[in-house]
């Protein structure tokens, strides 16, 4: 059964008429055309589908859209723009932290949520925070360097 609901996605309000049991990831990708979040495992175990829901990193592969009316969703497309990358996106480019890129959007979202709460993390804290995001490319050292670099850049902009 379809349900009319309102979602704020990346700063834009969307009125949606979709089945209330549809996964958020399906709505983002197939109804709103936001392809950055990826379907990995569908079981909340790989992190490829992570988005921010009211600023908190959450899996979108199994979150039913009917539970999210009125909530604010941020996808990787909402972090920055081609003209103004988010410091995390710039740091990942600078450190060449993405290889195949499949998991990257989820890692960027998880890192954003983490840095919002811990702007001066240690390498170990970053590793623990990103533990729920699987990357099979072996880019972990570059990913950790990129998050440390982004954290330093973000602290510098605040100072």
């Amino acid at each position: 059964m379809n349900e009319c609901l309102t979602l704020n996605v990346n700063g834009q309000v969307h009125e949606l008429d979709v089945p209330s049991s549809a996964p958020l990831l399906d709505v983002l990708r197939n109804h709103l055309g936001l392809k950055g979040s990826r379907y990995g495992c569908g079981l909340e175990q790989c992190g490829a589908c992570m988005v921010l829901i009211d600023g908190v990193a959450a899996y979108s592969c199994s979150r039913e859209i009917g539970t999210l009316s009125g909530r604010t969703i941020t996808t990787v497309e909402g972090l920055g723009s081609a003209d103004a990358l988010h410091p995390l996106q710039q740091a990942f480019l600078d450190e060449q932290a993405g290889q195949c890129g499949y998991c990257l959007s989820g890692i960027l979202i998880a890192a954003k949520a983490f840095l919002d709460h811990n702007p001066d993390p240690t390498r170990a804290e970053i590793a623990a925070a990103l533990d729920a995001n699987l990357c099979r490319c072996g880019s972990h050292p570059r990913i950790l360097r990129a998050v440390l670099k982004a954290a330093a850049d973000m602290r510098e902009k605040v100072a």
Side-chain angles (χ1 to χ4, degrees), residues 14-66:
H14 298 272
E15 300 290 329
L16 299 165
D17 183 19
V18 295
S20 61
S21 62
L24 172 60
L25 181 63
D26 174 64
V27 173
L28 293 172
R29 291 183 60 84
N30 299 319
H31 295 269
L32 300 179
L34 298 169
K35 306 287 188 181
S37 302
R38 307 262 170 44
Y39 183 86
C41 65
L43 301 169
E44 299 186 352
Q45 295 181 355
C46 73
C49 67
M50 280 199 163
V51 298
L52 297 175
I53 300 175
D54 295 333
V56 176
Y59 299 100
S60 65
C61 64
S62 59
R63 179 70 58 99
E64 291 186 1
I65 196 73

Side-chain angles (χ1 to χ4, degrees), residues 64-78:
E64 291 186 1
I65 196 73
T67 66
L68 299 170
S69 187
R71 310 282 295 271
T72 299
I73 312 297
T74 304
T75 67
V76 71
E77 291 93 340

